Amino acid sequence: QLQLVESGGGLVQAGDSLKLSCKVTGHTNVRYAMAWVRRPPGKENELVGRMEWGSGWSDYSDSVNGRFTISRDTLKDTLYLQMDNLKREDTAVYYCAARTNYRKLESPEYDYWGQGTQVTVSP
């Protein structure tokens, strides 16, 4: 079982930067991937970016590519999302998620989710 707790959200202005953290506690035998997923107001979940856990390779949605960066600290078992040049359309609740059952990296299914942290970008 894993527990995921996000932090770092807040109210910022367009063009600002913000760094989210996702602290993982608990233990599973294997972890295949982790991801950041966001839910804009009134919309469905959308993938922000994901990291293949073994290699650390990551990729991003087109809407954030070049502005957002996923990183991790394996000693702290924490996943990060550095968000630069924030835009109004980045306003959303941001969730981190972990996959412990094997699926293709492209799968949208994750096994554990955090409670989310709100990011609001003002003009």
Side-chain angles (χ1 to χ4, degrees), residues 97-99 101 103-104 106-111 113:
R99 178 176 298 152
N101 291 297
R103 302 178 185 89
K104 290 183 178 181
E106 296 77 19
S107 169
E109 296 184 24
Y110 288 85
D111 302 294
W113 293 80

Side-chain angles (χ1 to χ4, degrees), residues 35-39 45-48 93-97 110 113:
W36 287 97
V37 175
R38 68 186 181 186
R39 181 176 295 174
N45 283 1
E46 61 181 37
L47 177 70
V48 174
V93 178
Y94 284 72
Y95 301 90
C96 71
Y110 288 85
W113 293 80

